[in-house]
Amino acid sequence: MEKQKFLEILKSRVLIMDGATGTELQKKKYLEDVVIPEELNVKFPKRISDIYSSYVNAGSDILLANTFGANPIRLKQHGLLDKADDIIKSGIDLIRKISPKTIVAGDISSIGEYIEPLGSLSFDEAYNAFAMQASLLQKHNADIMIIETMTEIKEMKAAILATKDNFNGAIIAQMTFAEDGITVTGSDLKSFIAMVESLGVDALGLNCSIGSKDLAELAKVLRENTNLPISFKPNAGMPVLINRDTCFPETKEEFIESSLKAYSYGVNMFGGCCGTNPEFIKALSAELKNKSPKIAKTTNKYFLSTRVKAIDINEIKKPVIIGERINPTNRKKLQEELVKGSFSMVKDEARFQAQSGANLLDVNMGVPSADEEKLLTNAVNQIQEIVSTPLCIDSSNTSALEQAVKNCAGKPIINSVNGEQKKLDLILPIVKRYGASLIALTSDDNGIPKTAEERLEIAEKILRFADKYGVERKNIIFDYLVLSVSSSPEQIQETLKAMKESKQLHPECKLVLGVSNVSFGLPSRQTINSTFLKMAVAAGLDFAIINPHENWTIDSPLAKDLLENKDKGAAKYIEAFSSFKKSLPKDGTEKLPLDKCLYFAVLNGNQESIADIIRQIIACDANPFKMVNDNVLKALDIVGEKFASKEYFLPQIIMSAQAAQMAFAILKTTFKKSETFSAGRVIMATVKGDMHDIGKNVVGAVLESYGFDVIDMGINVDSQEIINKAREINPIAIGLSALMTTTMPEMETVVKLRNVEHVPTKIIIGGAAVTEKFAKEIGADAYAKDAMETAEYIKTLQKESCK
């Protein structure tokens, strides 16, 4: 189906999607004799046809093909990669045979691994996996594509890019949120909107995770912040385990009531996720099918974003501050660190600028003779995991720019391009592909024009090229370039004049300036910078690239006269300020004792400084293990508190744990024969039938940071294999993880086997759906809600074993 035809249908009437596939297959026991649901397409096609038919008969306009996990990484794990083409072809053909008029949606979902730095998967590996799946869905004529049940922004980005490159139809992007509108990796609704809109999807929506009542309120937030069509596929409530059976408590009537409320908010497409069934869809069709969509009020948002935060530039008081301090130019120490591969100063600067009020951070890694592509990509990956501030990625190296923007988990600004045709042809395709905003300098091959009119002509040229490459004009941010008032006093007014006229000619385009250029070569530079900033804001400035640590409240009449070219030769200004002595702020970074240095390094996940701190501790402390142990554990306890309060999310937990691991690893290397480090072995495993391992991996990382030897058995681990391994190595504890209620009963199997075979090992369980009550019911020794609770319990076991 042509994209435009689908979008026209969507504008004219509400479309009904299908309900749950997975829970229906489980309920009917159709998953027996297959390793993954997608295998049914070729091994037992009638089982899938039964599900498809039930939803067609219930009134679904759109059916999702059974290709949810048919990406090459998942298929390879189950020995089905050679059947990828057959699986996807059959998944689509079965729908066509049942109902030729039904809109067939290719279904793409998570690979099951996080992209670095959260996981080990590279962005390109994820992209390639999604590209293969999308190309097969295109080959076998899916009408539209639905990317669903995603929890991580960067994976969603890879999936959208791969789909756009390999599929010609409409693309709908759906993510999964908790009740508070935040994903497990910390992304909120506006971050989701900002990223998927910037990449050019045709519709966006919500599916899975929570019940319809809560999801309807999240849909309202979507409608208030996007003009795109919205899809709505909630669960039938949050799953609960009753007598070992997974149940979804929401009634059909409650589901319809919430769906009608979502319709009133302006949702265009309706369906159901886990726990819903054909009866839900039949009732939904009776209420909403073919109704005219509600006409929603047009929004005027201008989002920039990271994984965990989106800011609407139109709502922020001007100017929006872009911190300029992550730049090695004229900063020898920073250059030296970067050449060594250390990003300690970069991360500190990012944190300090965010604390000082920077709304965005400019990131420049232009170090002579260094690998800028690698440096810039690493800097972006590390900065965006320690601060929520959106990024302005700054490079003249096209390859470095593209790699960094690709790895940015959100919508950034690219800094920059100018009016040279060759540069426009290189940069604008990157802007279009990755949905970034772009700073456009109004200079060209001939340099910076002297007049406002000439700069505006270059701006017009840039806009023509933006139109050519399909870059929205609202994503162009013009820099009309301010020169130093000391050398070009007449140029200040030309810059301001160009800005004012640009606002009249191109109100959709924002304006930016690198403010501190104006004061070069004069005393009391901040007096000029601050005064000029106020003049620039009055002329329409939206973004200011500045040092956020400086005082920006100064407003000097003498500086204003100078900037308005009323003080020839800056005579009055120099006379007043030539003896000015800038009072340096208190350093605030006085030498801390080593224990505090270590504590803060772990708390902030600052791995680069760990090695030096540990070496100093070893050199000067009689009991280095005690100092390291006490301060690392103290820092990790605070990390746990921050995680519990949602001040920290998964990325920060991982980074702090890795810093702690590094500290202990260095001590282990130094004291190889010390028994102090024999904290004991712990087995970690995700139970049979469950393919989720993020939580398990976090727990493992934290346990290793406490000095335990973690034996990670992976995902989908057979119960007998776990007990056999426990008998072999006699661990302190077995940690079992399960994300799905359907796999939780496997935990009980492990406990029973442990008891029958008299293996003297404690079992601790955890996971999203697991509860303390369930742990007691199955006879597990403990329940932990997160990594820190797991660590505390196992530390207690270790102490008891040493008595």
Side-chain angles (χ1 to χ4, degrees), residues 196-215:
V196 301
E197 275 193 347
S198 72
L199 294 175
V201 300
D202 300 290
L204 54 80
L206 307 162
N207 81 291
C208 202
S209 68
I210 55 178
S212 63
K213 183 178 178 180
D214 292 319
L215 206 69

Side-chain angles (χ1 to χ4, degrees), residues 11 166 200 227 343 507 567 612 666 687 694 704 710 788 790:
K11 285 180 183 177
N166 294 279
N227 295 316
F343 291 87
D567 181 9
D612 185 55
I666 295 170
V687 295
I694 300 302
E704 286 180 345
V710 175
M788 304 311 295
T790 307

